Amino acid sequence: MKISTVNPQDKTALAQQRDLMQQRVAQSLAKRHAKEKRFKLTGQLAVGTALAFVAILFISIFSKGLPAFWQATLTLDIYFDPDIILIDEKPVQAAGESDATFQERYQAWQMDLAFINFNGLILNALAEVIPEAAAHPRDAMRLVTSGERIALRNLVEEDPSIIGSRKRLNLLADANVDVWIKGNIDRDLADSRQQLSARTRGWVDQLVEQGVIKNRFSTALFMNADSRSSLASAGLAGAFMGSLMMMLIVMFLAVPLGVASAIYLEEFAPKNKLTDLIEVNINNLAAVPSIVFGLLGASVFILWFKLPLSAPVVGGLVLSLMTLPTVIIATRSTLKAIPPSIRSAALGIGASKVQSVFHHVLPLAIPGILTGSILGIAQALGETAPLLLIGMSSFVASVPSSPFDQSTALPVQIYLWQGNELRNFFEARTSAAIIVLLTMMISLNALAIWLRRHFENRW
Amino acid sequence: MSNLMLAGVLLMLLALAYQLGLTRSRKLTTDLSGQKVRLHSRPVYHGALVAFWTVVPAFGVFLLWRFIQPGVINQMIIAQLPEAIMAGMTDSDMRVFLRRITHLSSGFGLSDQPQPHELQAAELLSVLQVRGHALMLALMASLAAAGLYFSWQQIHPDLRARNQMERVVKVALIACSSVAILTTIGIVLSMFGEAMRFFAFVNPMDFFFGTTWNPRFQTAGTEGQTGFGMLPLLWGTVMIALIALLVAIPVGLMAAIYMSEYAPSRVRSVAKPIIEVLAGIPTIVYGFFALITVGPFLSSFGATFGLDIRATSALTAGVVMGIMIIPFISSLSDDIITQVPRSLRDGSLGLGATQSETIRKVVLPAALPGIVGAILLAASRAIGETMIVVLAAGNSPVLTANPFEAVSTMTVTIVNQLTGDLDFASPQSLVAFALGLTLFVITLLLNVIALVIVRKYREQYE
């Protein structure tokens, strides 16, 4: 179209067309703006949904788990009756007696102690608050968890002079009593479907009224190892020790190895096909499913090297291999961020390459390396699947004393507890264990964030 | 001498050798006439070099000896056994025999009466162990002494101790970085080896294309009922991963778009870390969450619409896994969207497009390859995820298209087949390695493709 030859009539036609266009734009504008608003709203909705998921997750775990830190506890006057605790004096090592013979005597004494009817003490104490308890010992003993008689035995073993005295003690109630008090079981269920007999339930309500049974903060969860016979006193101590040992192994294995390989790859390695391959390999290793590391552990460490099943040392090795790529990647990105001028300055005043790296670059990289390592350790702390394959899911009722002992780990303990038959009780206890695990992970992460904030170098 | 004591002695030796090297090289800084002499390397390097030659060869001998000694001693004991006893022994008898004499010689004792030839062998075993240990200590001591003496002798102002030490450091660094490669090789070889043993029992075609999964032990009357067909498991895995992506892609992608394009920096600095918390939560916690909260909720939610949703089903596991992978998709896509150059956005806005039109028609198409890469990475994460599906998928290995039913996945089956007794001889437990290998290959392919796409994308805009 040639403008110069346009006559006046066409001019008005053009103007009309332009008006039409502008009208159309103006009309569609409202629609487009509405669309814009909708789009933005969808975005806000998505962020809101994601945040809501976080909130629901935490609220559901915490609301279930927090009450489990307080357990139904009976406060009873225990009379250490000399007529029940019939036992000789606690053996004392005589002068000139060899260790072996003393040990023998001591063990014989412990054996005698183990045969004493500590349940009798508890029963007598119960009879003081519920007179009819003596006539129905089976129902009465359902009130107190079975692990408490061991606690009484330990008291006597520690200090036999308490025999003959009275002592006010807090005894953990049975898991079923706890469930009944907290209302985690339907109180209207028929007798045949209740865990406790009608008589015991009546007593529980009576004792709560009397103030003998109270919800008290319980340290059993932290101090005891797992238990199957005395569910109310099952605790996390064994799993915690197992996890701690594995984390130490990861710290002393994965972190130095990872940092060293990152230094080599970033500072020394020539850029060629081989180092390219290593780089791709490490990136892939970081994304290999964790269960594959479990298979590796099962076949290499257990089948070939014949290391023991369920031992923290194997778990630590497997988790170290799994954390290694994380540490390498974090360290490499830290090293990459350190400006080349530092290296050039060191080299310029006559330092060797090794000196420039170890004396100048590495000290600057330490905050970043620490942050990456802590995040890697936190990730290893929460890992469950590979541990199941190296036998760490077996029931272990003791606290491991060396990395070669049988043990579980915190996340594995959670897995074991969620499968316990007494769902009413263990749903809360599992949530409590999760709270402990999450608290540890969040503190590790917070430490990492603090380190980054505190020591971060901006170039 | 116990291992702990040995380690202590080695450490002391290390310190001593270092000190010796250090003092000798320091003395060299002034010659006999009191003139200053320039050392090529500073004294610390001389010390370190002496310490290295003193301790490392001795320690190498220790490791090697530990590795070789038990086998050699066993051979020596077997060699002296009377013919008459050797004749009737199978391999497993031999293992029992060796374990019994180990218990005997360590004073652990046996539950029954040991036989005379066992007592004799146990005696020999303890003698050989003591001798072997003594021999090892002697060798270590002489190596340490020789190393100390010769490297100490060598100290000289012109000795290039620093260069030698740096070579040692470099070799150590290379050794460390080979661990990552060895891990990969270990994964591939161990899984391949065990999977091959599995395929000796089961035809690979039956495994990869079979549709029944029923790996029970054959007893009388159940012949022909076992099936090692992987397809139901593969389908379960894929279905759950698809559900997870259906949950995570819309939420994660829209969240990323909002965060990178719209959100004020204050909102962004709060919301982004909170969403990333989801990535740090252990998977066992998600599994428990699915089992206790999400499963019952979905089940009762379905009931109000007359749908029969099982509490543990593909849907439950998929939804929770979707929540887990939201941060993978959102933070990766966020990075990628922010990398799209400003000029593309300005161009589009300058032509009068609204912000959402710019995003949908300009930014997203430009970022698409990277986003696809992010989704593939998230998918590989979902396929390899274990604990959520162990707890929440219901573990029933049947081919079903109904997401409300219970299913089983490859990871669940690996856990099921390998927990409890590890005997590594039956196809029932070996199948875990065949499944693991398949899983490894699938995730590896997804990762490689994703990494290639992401890398290409980065190069495009750098």
Side-chain angles (χ1 to χ4, degrees), chain A residues 164-227:
Chain A
S165 67
R166 293 179 78 83
K167 213 166 174 200
R168 208 173 174 76
L169 290 174
N170 290 329
L171 303 181
L172 274 182
D174 189 76
N176 283 307
V177 173
D178 190 71
V179 169
W180 176 258
I181 290 176
K182 286 181 180 157
N184 287 337
I185 190 168
D186 188 355
R187 289 195 162 218
D188 301 326
L189 279 181
D191 259 7
S192 59
R193 296 179 60 198
Q194 289 282 3
Q195 296 286 325
L196 297 170
S197 67
R199 191 178 286 124
T200 315
R201 272 155 24 219
W203 287 343
V204 172
D205 290 337
Q206 185 191 334
L207 289 176
V208 169
E209 237 166 76
Q210 290 178 2
V212 175
I213 298 186
K214 271 193 185 137
N215 261 337
R216 284 174 193 278
F217 187 80
S218 162
T219 53
L221 188 65
F222 307 107
M223 306 302 284
N224 297 350
D226 196 12
S227 168

Side-chain angles (χ1 to χ4, degrees), chain A residues 29 32-33 35-37 39-40 42-47 49-51 53-54 56-58 60-61 64 256-265 268 274 276-296 298-300 302-305 309 321-322 324 328 350-355 358-359 378-379 381-385 388-391 393 411-412 414-416 418 423 426-428 430-431 434 437-438 441 445, chain B residues 42 45 67 162 166-167 169-170 172-184 186-191 194 197 247 250-259 262 267 270-271 274-275 277-278 280-286 288-289 291-293 319 323 326 352-357 359-360 364 377 380-381 383-387 390-391 410-412 414-416 418-420 422-424 432-433 435-437 439-440 443-444 447-448 451 455:
Chain A
L29 209 55
R32 286 168 65 202
H33 281 167
K35 225 174 182 179
E36 166 77 30
K37 244 182 213 149
F39 189 77
K40 196 173 167 186
T42 339
Q44 279 163 337
L45 219 63
V47 174
T49 317
L51 294 181
F53 281 142
V54 181
I56 292 172
L57 184 68
F58 274 87
S60 104
I61 299 282
K64 282 219 170 63
L257 275 180
V259 172
S261 29
I263 290 175
Y264 177 71
L265 292 175
F268 294 106
L274 186 69
D276 229 33
L277 187 77
I278 297 178
E279 172 145 14
V280 171
N281 169 46
I282 286 169
N283 281 334
N284 274 317
L285 212 52
V288 166
S290 61
I291 193 158
V292 170
F293 285 95
L295 286 172
L296 174 77
S299 78
V300 172
I302 288 177
L303 194 63
W304 288 0
F305 292 162
L309 271 175
L321 292 184
M322 208 191 77
L324 194 59
I328 296 180
S352 69
K353 181 76 191 155
V354 174
Q355 282 173 329
F358 281 89
H359 297 175
Q379 181 199 343
L381 175 65
E383 199 53 66
T384 323
L388 297 183
L389 299 190
I390 53 167
S393 58
V412 180
I414 293 169
Y415 172 68
L416 290 175
Q418 63 79 30
R423 270 301 264 286
F426 269 95
E427 221 175 84
T430 312
S431 305
I434 290 179
L437 178 66
L438 284 181
M441 295 190 66
N445 281 297
Chain B
R42 293 175 48 212
Y45 291 102
F67 203 65
R162 198 198 72 225
E166 287 183 350
R167 218 169 299 143
V169 168
K170 239 176 174 171
L173 289 180
I174 292 177
C176 287
S177 53
S178 66
V179 170
I181 306 235
L182 285 179
T183 310
T184 313
I187 288 176
V188 172
L189 282 189
S190 69
M191 296 227 287
E194 306 294 329
R197 282 172 66 198
V247 173
V251 177
L253 197 53
M254 282 312 290
I257 291 171
Y258 180 77
M259 295 280 206
Y262 288 105
V267 174
V270 174
I274 292 183
I275 292 178
V277 163
L278 285 173
I281 291 176
T283 54
I284 179 79
V285 177
Y286 280 111
F288 184 71
F289 176 63
L291 194 66
I292 299 298
T293 311
V319 166
I323 297 176
I326 285 174
T354 64
Q355 201 169 356
S356 71
E357 284 163 350
I359 294 168
R360 273 184 291 132
L364 282 188
L377 278 182
S380 108
R381 185 64 58 150
I383 285 174
E385 170 43 43
T386 309
M387 292 323 289
V390 165
L391 294 190
M410 300 168 70
T411 48
V412 173
I414 293 175
V415 171
N416 286 345
L418 268 193
T419 35
L422 292 175
D423 66 349
F424 291 111
F433 291 94
L435 285 170
L437 188 64
L439 190 69
F440 180 70
T443 50
L444 188 72
N447 290 331
V448 168
L451 284 178
R455 202 187 260 188

